[in-house]
Amino acid sequence: MFKHILLPTDGSILSQVAIQKGVQFAKSINARITGMSVMPEHKYYMYQADIIVQVKKETVKQHKLEADRNLSVIEKAAKDAGVPCETFCEISDHPHEMIIKVAEKRGCDLIMMASHGRKGIGALLLGSETQKVLTHSKIPVLVFR
């Protein structure tokens, strides 16, 4: 049924659990995995002109290192399970949009991701990327809590 699973990660413990479950599921159905991490876009505005170039470069470097660490968890889990896997990092301030775009572009037929299960004011203020993916994706989404 499913042949290509997208596993987005934010590096959280819950996301790591979803990765392990996703890799197990992929192995059980002989599917392949695409792992992804979304780094924030760094837009600087006129009033931030005093931010030096070195600080900007260091911020991007730190985000890239974090994304690479997060993706290495997917790569290792897939390799250990013998599941075909590719990983990559995208840049966007709207992770849910990028997750859906990548799933469609790469031909994924399932998105598996974690949800922190925030409720009330926390959900309102922080939003839920998972909820946004569920709301806007035409591709099936399996959520781990």
Side-chain angles (χ1 to χ4, degrees):
M1 185 167 157
F2 298 115
K3 296 295 179 198
H4 189 183
I5 301 170
L6 180 68
L7 287 176
T9 181
D10 64 3
S12 67
I13 298 296
L14 191 56
S15 186
Q16 291 177 22
V17 171
I19 289 165
Q20 296 304 320
K21 298 293 184 184
V23 169
Q24 289 172 4
F25 182 65
K27 182 175 178 142
S28 73
I29 62 170
N30 290 325
R32 64 189 168 110
I33 292 171
T34 293
M36 72 174 292
S37 181
V38 182
M39 292 182 359
E41 195 169 354
H42 298 284
K43 298 177 185 170
Y44 296 97
Y45 302 97
M46 296 299 283
Y47 62 86
Q48 294 174 311
D50 58 338
I51 296 176
I52 59 172
V53 172
Q54 185 62 33
V55 170
K56 293 176 187 178
K57 287 181 182 178
E58 187 60 31
T59 302
V60 171
K61 180 180 173 185
Q62 290 303 316
H63 282 162
K64 179 68 173 134
L65 285 172
E66 181 180 345
D68 289 345
R69 275 193 303 270
N70 297 342
L71 293 173
S72 72
V73 172
I74 297 173
E75 292 166 348
K76 181 178 183 333
K79 182 179 179 186
D80 291 349
V83 174
C85 174
E86 73 172 314
T87 61
F88 60 94
C89 182
E90 291 287 344
I91 299 171
S92 176
D93 284 333
H94 305 285
H96 72 281
E97 291 175 356
M98 189 57 68
I99 290 167
I100 293 167
K101 181 179 178 180
V102 166
E104 291 171 351
K105 182 179 176 183
R106 300 275 176 156
C108 298
D109 49 18
L110 179 67
I111 300 169
M112 296 180 75
M113 60 191 302
S115 175
H116 295 277
R118 293 185 182 100
K119 293 179 174 66
I121 195 75
L124 180 65
L125 293 176
L126 297 173
S128 168
E129 294 305 317
T130 304
Q131 184 62 42
K132 292 173 191 171
V133 171
L134 282 166
T135 302
H136 298 288
S137 178
K138 294 177 182 146
I139 297 169
V141 181
L142 180 58
V143 179
F144 290 93
R145 288 189 179 223

